[in-house]
Amino acid sequence: MRMHENFTRCQCGQAYLRKEEHVLAQYKKLENGKAISFTELPEKRETRYICSNCDQIIFVKRES
């Protein structure tokens, strides 16, 4: 996959990034800790690019 964003290498020198998608969701939680009625809220999303070596966040993109 080619990414066309302006990224810099991490301070540790690693060039490989891990992409994490975080989506805001609405749900109800039962007493035993299980989630029910799980509904994603597509208008609230965050993408994080993290160094695969030291787990430092390199870039965050938020969509609202």
Side-chain angles (χ1 to χ4, degrees):
M1 176 174 117
R2 290 192 180 250
M3 297 169 48
H4 299 284
E5 302 281 348
N6 291 326
F7 291 107
T8 58
R9 287 181 183 255
C10 183
Q11 294 175 353
C12 71
Q14 178 74 306
Y16 291 104
L17 302 177
R18 182 175 70 242
K19 180 179 179 181
E20 292 182 357
E21 294 283 339
H22 296 265
V23 178
L24 185 64
Q26 184 177 19
Y27 62 93
K28 293 180 183 177
K29 195 171 183 180
L30 297 176
E31 292 176 8
N32 62 3
K34 292 186 177 180
I36 61 170
S37 302
F38 188 85
T39 307
E40 283 187 15
L41 302 174
E43 68 274 2
K44 301 290 183 181
R45 175 173 297 262
E46 181 175 277
T47 304
R48 296 180 186 169
Y49 297 95
I50 301 171
C51 175
S52 63
N53 186 39
C54 66
D55 294 329
Q56 180 178 349
I57 296 174
I58 304 297
F59 182 76
V60 175
K61 181 178 178 183
R62 290 192 177 116
E63 299 174 15
S64 55

